[in-house]
Amino acid sequence: MKSKSIGIAVLVIGVLMVFYTGFNYVTEEKVVDIGPIEINKKENHPVQWSPIIGVILIVGGAVLVIKDKK
């Protein structure tokens, strides 16, 4: 039963990775802080991956689910 639940989880993660090929997060850095004056810099950090990785996870998850049925 354990490999089946792991297989389903890997399958779901693979499907999500095929449809959502990345995300962005923003960090804020203090550049200047002189008394009451403060200047901040916001920097965007994209995280991207190939949809092929998602397909590989889908296949691996399906193999785990099918293997558990035998």
Side-chain angles (χ1 to χ4, degrees):
M1 182 71 179
K2 187 171 182 166
S3 68
K4 183 177 181 181
S5 58
I6 292 173
I8 291 172
V10 170
L11 194 86
V12 168
I13 291 170
V15 169
L16 289 174
M17 286 182 75
V18 167
F19 289 112
Y20 298 105
T21 58
F23 61 92
N24 295 320
Y25 67 95
V26 178
T27 57
E28 190 170 323
E29 179 182 350
K30 190 181 295 187
V31 179
V32 176
D33 187 13
I34 304 173
I37 299 172
E38 186 176 297
I39 299 174
N40 295 325
K41 174 185 169 188
K42 291 184 180 180
E43 190 171 347
N44 188 20
H45 301 280
V47 178
Q48 301 285 320
W49 54 78
S50 174
I52 295 172
I53 296 171
V55 172
I56 292 170
L57 287 175
I58 290 172
V59 171
V63 167
L64 286 174
V65 170
I66 293 171
K67 179 183 165 189
D68 191 50
K69 287 185 179 180
K70 291 182 179 179

